[in-house]
Amino acid sequence: MIDQRKKIFAVNLWILDMLLTTTSFFFAYSVRSLFELEEHTLMPVRVYLWILAIVLPTWAVLLPLFRVYSHSVVPPLAQIWRLAKAIGFAGLVAAATISFVRPDVSNRAIVASTVVIDFIFLVSYRVVLMKMIRRSALDVRNVAVVGTGAAAHQFARTIEAHRV
């Protein structure tokens, strides 16, 4: 039952990551629209949607490959490091793909901003989740004490006294 809940939780994280990545793209476009750069005209957002069509599948495949959704037993800094490596590599793959597909229409500022904003979004909500699920049903650890002697009873009391 716990393993099934962990799988459902991982799928929900993946879906939320894809939603936040999409949000990051539109937020990056909004940030880019605040700045006027010489000889760089910003087109309507629909012109850049093909970039999102490359970014999303790249993230969708590479985040699980970097084991971002593995067990929550991994220390928090290791989880964040995995996420950083996955987003960095996904950003490089997406940027390379975009530059090969349509180098004349790509907007590097939007792509780079999407990667940075997405990293901030994904790490931020993961830190909040780590705090929230620390004592949830997904963080269950069971111990069986076998024995009937005084040592077994003392050991069981010690475990009970140090319950997290």
Side-chain angles (χ1 to χ4, degrees):
M1 181 71 171
I2 298 292
D3 287 337
Q4 185 179 10
R5 290 176 77 186
K6 286 182 179 181
K7 287 178 186 175
I8 291 169
F9 185 74
V11 169
N12 288 339
L13 277 181
W14 181 81
I15 291 169
L16 185 58
D17 284 351
M18 295 306 105
L19 289 172
L20 285 174
T21 301
T22 303
T23 304
S24 300
F25 174 79
F26 287 108
F27 191 68
Y29 178 82
S30 298
V31 169
R32 169 59 183 90
S33 68
L34 298 175
F35 303 102
E36 282 295 321
L37 299 176
E38 252 181 65
E39 299 181 20
H40 294 282
T41 305
L42 186 66
M43 305 296 226
V45 71
R46 63 179 155 66
V47 173
Y48 301 109
L49 286 179
W50 67 273
I51 294 173
L52 185 61
I54 291 173
V55 167
L56 272 181
T58 305
W59 262 245
V61 169
L62 289 177
L63 290 180
L65 284 178
F66 275 82
R67 299 181 316 141
V68 170
Y69 307 106
S70 65
H71 268 50
S72 59
V73 216
V74 178
L77 285 178
Q79 287 181 24
I80 292 171
W81 177 242
R82 277 185 189 173
L83 187 61
K85 288 190 300 186
I87 291 173
F89 189 72
L92 288 175
V93 169
T97 305
I98 289 165
S99 69
F100 285 123
V101 172
R102 294 182 66 188
D104 55 327
V105 188
S106 69
N107 191 319
R108 290 182 298 256
I110 292 176
V111 175
S113 299
T114 299
V115 171
V116 171
I117 292 168
D118 193 48
F119 176 76
I120 292 168
F121 282 175
L122 297 185
V123 168
S124 300
Y125 99 86
R126 281 231 175 33
V127 168
V128 170
L129 278 179
M130 285 179 214
K131 299 280 186 192
M132 287 175 40
I133 67 169
R134 181 158 170 95
R135 296 188 180 168
S136 73
L138 295 175
D139 195 30
V140 173
R141 294 186 179 103
N142 297 313
V143 176
V145 178
V146 179
T148 58
H153 287 287
Q154 178 59 34
F155 185 65
R157 281 192 292 276
T158 303
I159 291 173
E160 191 66 33
H162 292 92
R163 188 177 248 200
V164 178

